Amino acid sequence: TADEAIEAFNRRTIDGLGAVAPDQLEALKVSHQLSALPMPRYYALFFNPSAHAALKEREVRAALERATDRAGLVADVLAGYGIPISGPLYPLLSGYDRASSAGEPFSTAAAAELLESRQWKTGEGGIREKKIGKETVRLSFEVVVPDIPFLVATAERLKTDWFTVGVEFIPLVINPTEVAQGVIRTRDYQVLLFGNVLRGNPDMFSFWHSSERFRPGLNLSLYENRAVDAALEAVRTEADAAERSQLLAKIQGAIVADKPALFLYS
């Protein structure tokens, strides 16, 4: 385990170790050099609109993004060892387009205003609700969270922040193996807090093409957009660098606009 590795390092029986969580750094007692390596991965909340009627509304998903303080998560949960992410491509990979990947800025006031404009009114316990058809739907979401300390801490921070705009965040903390082998396989979640690990290239096909919506695909939001599908397919065969950049910008812009996921940080 990481704790055992740190103990061995402090006894000087090993010369180095990796994957130390920010909250474990204080446990390193002997003189050492700390290196931070950027990794092409990000963590996000993946929405499953088929599991909750409110998630079908783009404005609700946009409001949740406005209510999320990415910079605060990086500072408080990751102790500054991370970067905010607002789109589907890691910023240090080729093809990243800053303009296309610009997400909604943090503003609880704007989030509340957006929900009000869609007739989500404060109900019992301070949670917003409205009638959809014959059913009263509450902005109360069960969120599957792998039992990993920094993800659990992220969930607790989001739970507090979202409540300020009338949204209930209910963390379902589950063993990571069960999440990977059970929950994800069956797409049995309303919202999933999880990470995507990218290769050293900007190929996003596995994560966002509609053909990858179900097992064994990795399209965790069950996202469907024909224009994005076509662009994802074209990127794999386009040899011209300028054309590839335009396709990648189109993909990033469409996904950020559609908001199938709420990107958090790397």
Side-chain angles (χ1 to χ4, degrees), residues 1-12:
T1 66
D3 290 337
E4 291 170 334
I6 289 172
E7 183 180 349
F9 183 76
N10 287 335
R11 293 198 310 267
R12 300 180 187 274

Side-chain angles (χ1 to χ4, degrees), residues 11-50:
R11 293 198 310 267
R12 300 180 187 274
T13 57
I14 60 174
D15 297 318
L17 70 161
V20 181
D23 60 0
Q24 295 175 310
L25 293 176
E26 291 183 359
L28 299 174
K29 302 301 182 184
V30 298
S31 177
H32 60 276
Q33 177 180 335
L34 181 67
S35 297
L37 304 177
M39 301 289 286
R41 69 176 67 175
Y42 61 76
Y43 294 86
L45 290 167
F46 296 94
F47 300 127
N48 183 353
S50 65

